[in-house]
Amino acid sequence: MSDSSIDPAEVLLVEDNPGDVRLTREAFDESGIRNELHVVHDGERALDFLYQRDEYEDAPTPGLVLLDLNLPNLEGKAVLREIKGTPALRQIPIIVLTSSEADEDIARSYDLHANAYLVKPVDPEEFIDLARTFEKFWLQFVELPPSNHN
């Protein structure tokens, strides 16, 4: 397990639905997740954040990305392909967090090297349970790459 004296990893949420953003924030709060949650609302802004372009020039390198597939401007699969195809970014774990249960979306996400695929529960309590499980595994037990890996 990670040393609790280490600063918690920054998390980037790429999500265009304001309700899902609110639910994710609430789930993080209710689960006691201390990690900083940064939010962008489309695929282009996700890449701007990760490449520290424009308004995100001072953005931290996230230790983990939660990525919706259905995004405006640049879809999630294209964002995933770009991240995993860029040596300076490919070590960042990408968790697809989407409402799609389609077999082709699941298979394509893993083909593009997603680290996990989670289907968003509709029920808020189930979403909080998912956040707790996510936090325990990804933010307590998994050793994430150092943020200065690029």
Side-chain angles (χ1 to χ4, degrees), residues 52-65:
Q52 298 174 317
R53 296 187 296 224
D54 301 328
E55 67 189 276
Y56 302 106
E57 67 180 310
D58 295 325
T61 300
L64 191 69
V65 175

Side-chain angles (χ1 to χ4, degrees), residues 28 31-35 129-142:
F28 268 50
S31 300
I33 297 174
R34 299 179 319 129
N35 302 70
D129 287 344
L130 176 68
R132 284 187 183 120
T133 303
F134 163 83
E135 187 268 341
K136 191 166 269 326
F137 181 76
W138 283 102
L139 302 174
Q140 283 186 21
F141 295 124
V142 170

Side-chain angles (χ1 to χ4, degrees), residues 44-76:
E44 287 178 3
R45 288 184 188 264
L47 294 179
D48 287 344
F49 188 100
L50 291 163
Y51 287 119
Q52 298 174 317
R53 296 187 296 224
D54 301 328
E55 67 189 276
Y56 302 106
E57 67 180 310
D58 295 325
T61 300
L64 191 69
V65 175
L66 295 171
L67 177 66
D68 188 17
L69 289 183
N70 303 310
L71 297 168
N73 299 327
L74 188 64
E75 69 170 356

Side-chain angles (χ1 to χ4, degrees), residues 10 17 25 27 34-35 38 42 54 62 65 70 73 76 83 85 88 90-91 113 115 118 125 127 138:
E10 307 269 346
N17 181 319
R25 286 191 188 282
R34 299 179 319 129
N35 302 70
H38 303 273
D42 66 46
D54 301 328
V65 175
N70 303 310
N73 299 327
I83 293 168
R90 75 170 49 124
Q91 288 184 353
H113 306 288
N115 296 87
L118 302 174
E125 286 303 313
F127 200 98
W138 283 102

Side-chain angles (χ1 to χ4, degrees), residues 95-144:
I95 313 309
V96 173
L97 180 62
T98 189
S99 55
S100 174
E101 297 181 61
D103 288 344
E104 66 254 19
D105 285 339
I106 296 167
R108 186 69 182 135
S109 294
Y110 283 116
D111 283 345
L112 293 170
H113 306 288
N115 296 87
Y117 191 101
L118 302 174
V119 177
K120 296 177 198 170
V122 177
D123 178 80
E125 286 303 313
E126 289 178 15
F127 200 98
I128 290 168
D129 287 344
L130 176 68
R132 284 187 183 120
T133 303
F134 163 83
E135 187 268 341
K136 191 166 269 326
F137 181 76
W138 283 102
L139 302 174
Q140 283 186 21
F141 295 124
V142 170
E143 292 294 332
L144 298 172

